[in-house]
Amino acid sequence: MDIELTKEDDAFRAEVRRFISEKLPRELAERETVGASGERGALRRWQKDLHEKGWVAVNWPRQYGGTGWTPMQKHIFNEEMAAANAPRLSPFGLSMVGPVIYTFGNEEQKKQHLPGILSGDVWWCQGYSEPGSGSDLASLRTRAVRQGDHYIVNGQKIWTSYAHEADWIFCLVRTDETAKPQEGISFLLIDMKTPGIEVKPIISIDGLHHLNEVFFTDVKVPVTNRIGDKNKGWTYAKFLLVNERTGIAGVPESKRKIAHLRKIARQERLGDGTALADDPAIMTKLSEIEVKLTGLEYTNLRIVADEVAGRPAGPSSSTLKIVGTEIQQALSELAVEAVAFYAMPFQREHLMGIANEAPVGPAYAVSVTSAYNFGRAASIYGGSNEIQRNVIAKAVLGL
């Protein structure tokens, strides 16, 4: 793969940097966050700025509002956004359900949903996992029974990220009890304001509210909200998960964290007063992670290039998911080691923006413990890494 930057690529990088310096609010760039947490109004304003520039849907086809960028331009854009600590936009609309809608949805569904996803006026969440149906997603039990022009949905979803903020949810539901598990599932779009939907919070180990349970009791959903054919939802779900796993790799974000850890290492001191950056043990660990990340970055570029050439990523995206999340977890572990006893205070109030006193220790230590705790889920969500290894063994290696 030729990754040498052309003059056009250099000019594009300069344009991205100018845009970020002019439009990214300082309070967003400097805020310590865990997961996708952040004040919704500020995130929406940032998305609108990107939308007005035409840069909000990096991977969408141009005909649906995408950028039409080359793989290198996407790579440059993601690198610069991560380097500036720009908040990641919610992936549920832009990276997950949006591509499903423009690929498999009808024209009315595209007209109804794509504009709101692009502008950030409509936020989405994902209704996949259920109690007892996580990695074994095909065993899901939420049912949708057709009555005339509507489905009546009953069941429960769990680990539903940001359902408490979402306007719509895309759900896998069982529409045929007699078919094989994967063949009896449909893909529904459901308005979260529909009567019969109840959202209950789950406070995760980081002390923050990312997750929820979602209960459906006789929820009436128009049949026109079904994507594609009845009982073909598993096909659309697999398409979506490929996009999700590619994004989960988080290469640019991990590169920024490595640079951040090097900065911490220059400031933190060992017991004898020398800089942590002079400790061979710590710096060797960081260098090993960086080497692994470089290999992942090239793999990611190859998959993106394949997609642009019309060759779908397919099961190879599982490699990105496994290695990417392992790197993220290794970096969060090293961050805890680097800040030492400053990782002990659990400074949840500062992450929520409600603290009335100064943080304990330097500002860069505030999110370390919560980020470590939150990151333990990275190897589970999007399909556990154990399941991804099975996917690679069967679909890639043919074992």
Side-chain angles (χ1 to χ4, degrees):
M1 176 182 292
D2 181 9
I3 62 167
E4 291 295 324
L5 292 184
T6 65
K7 291 182 179 179
E8 291 77 13
D9 290 331
D10 284 330
F12 177 73
R13 187 185 293 276
E15 182 183 4
V16 173
R17 288 179 175 173
R18 277 196 305 273
F19 175 84
I20 292 173
S21 66
E22 293 172 1
K23 295 294 186 179
L24 179 62
R26 176 170 292 183
E27 64 270 19
L28 281 182
E30 295 180 351
R31 182 175 179 185
E32 293 288 339
T33 60
V34 175
S37 59
E39 196 272 314
R40 179 167 176 169
L43 291 176
R44 179 176 283 174
R45 289 191 296 274
W46 172 234
Q47 180 162 343
K48 285 190 178 297
D49 285 337
L50 287 167
H51 184 224
E52 290 175 2
K53 183 70 172 176
W55 287 359
V56 75
V58 172
N59 293 308
W60 288 25
R62 190 187 297 274
Q63 69 194 86
Y64 297 119
T67 59
W69 286 342
T70 65
M72 182 55 70
Q73 286 176 313
K74 295 177 185 179
H75 177 67
I76 290 170
F77 179 79
N78 289 330
E79 272 197 331
E80 293 300 324
M81 287 292 173
N85 199 29
R88 295 186 71 177
L89 301 178
S90 175
F92 301 107
L94 290 167
S95 301
M96 298 183 191
V97 76
V100 169
I101 292 172
Y102 67 63
T103 303
F104 302 105
N106 57 42
E107 290 305 313
E108 287 302 315
Q109 290 167 339
K110 294 174 188 178
K111 290 178 183 178
Q112 179 182 1
H113 296 294
L114 296 184
I117 292 173
L118 290 169
S119 67
D121 290 331
V122 180
W123 282 26
W124 288 78
C125 61
Q126 179 185 42
Y128 273 25
S129 295
E130 299 181 4
S133 298
S135 294
D136 182 19
L137 189 57
S139 67
L140 65 89
R141 300 176 63 185
T142 295
R143 299 176 60 207
V145 178
R146 184 162 181 171
Q147 293 184 4
D149 294 333
H150 289 79
Y151 285 111
I152 305 302
V153 179
N154 284 279
Q156 178 189 356
K157 299 294 180 179
I158 198 167
W159 315 123
T160 313
S161 299
Y162 307 105
H164 57 294
E165 297 178 340
D167 304 296
W168 282 72
I169 183 171
F170 55 94
C171 274
L172 293 181
V173 296
R174 188 159 301 284
T175 45
D176 190 339
E177 298 282 352
T178 63
K180 293 180 180 179
Q182 288 91 342
E183 296 176 1
I185 294 171
S186 294
F187 195 108
L188 287 186
L189 312 179
I190 305 176
D191 189 333
M192 289 293 285
K193 296 186 294 296
T194 308
I197 296 179
E198 182 182 9
V199 178
K200 292 185 177 181
I202 298 174
I203 305 304
S204 51
I205 194 172
D206 60 4
L208 302 174
H209 181 193
H210 312 278
L211 307 169
N212 303 272
E213 296 177 279
V214 182
F215 297 87
F216 300 88
T217 305
D218 295 331
V219 176
K220 194 175 181 180
V221 181
V223 173
T224 53
N225 285 18
R226 187 188 70 217
I227 293 291
D229 297 329
K230 176 184 175 183
N231 296 338
K232 296 298 182 182
W234 191 251
T235 298
Y236 314 139
K238 288 191 295 182
F239 172 87
L240 182 150
L241 285 170
V242 167
N243 286 280
E244 180 181 3
R245 289 165 189 159
T246 302
I248 285 174
V251 172
E253 290 76 19
S254 290
K255 291 177 72 173
R256 181 184 61 79
K257 289 176 183 177
I258 286 175
H260 186 56
L261 271 171
R262 291 192 182 281
K263 181 179 179 181
I264 291 174
R266 291 193 294 269
Q267 296 184 45
E268 288 293 313
R269 291 290 182 268
L270 300 171
D272 61 1
T274 59
L276 188 62
D278 295 325
D279 181 359
I282 288 286
M283 300 315 293
T284 297
K285 289 180 183 179
L286 186 57
S287 296
E288 289 173 346
I289 296 172
E290 192 168 17
V291 169
K292 192 173 184 179
L293 179 61
T294 300
L296 179 66
E297 181 178 13
Y298 280 93
T299 301
N300 196 14
L301 283 169
R302 283 193 293 270
I303 289 177
V304 171
D306 282 344
E307 291 177 340
V308 170
R311 297 185 294 270
S316 58
S317 65
S318 295
T319 304
L320 298 181
K321 200 275 179 179
I322 293 170
V323 180
T325 54
E326 288 177 345
I327 288 172
Q328 293 165 32
Q329 290 176 342
L331 287 171
S332 68
E333 291 171 11
L334 195 58
V336 171
E337 186 175 351
V339 302
F341 52 82
Y342 287 132
M344 295 177 65
F346 192 45
Q347 305 188 63
R348 174 174 173 267
E349 291 77 12
H350 285 279
L351 290 173
M352 295 176 66
I354 59 174
N356 56 10
E357 57 186 14
V360 176
Y364 55 70
V366 168
S367 63
V368 165
T369 299
S370 288
Y372 169 83
N373 289 335
F374 179 81
R376 306 322 297 164
S379 52
I380 300 173
Y381 56 61
S384 71
N385 285 8
E386 290 78 8
I387 294 296
Q388 301 316 310
R389 289 184 173 90
N390 285 341
V391 169
I392 292 171
K394 293 179 180 178
V396 179
L397 301 179
L399 300 179

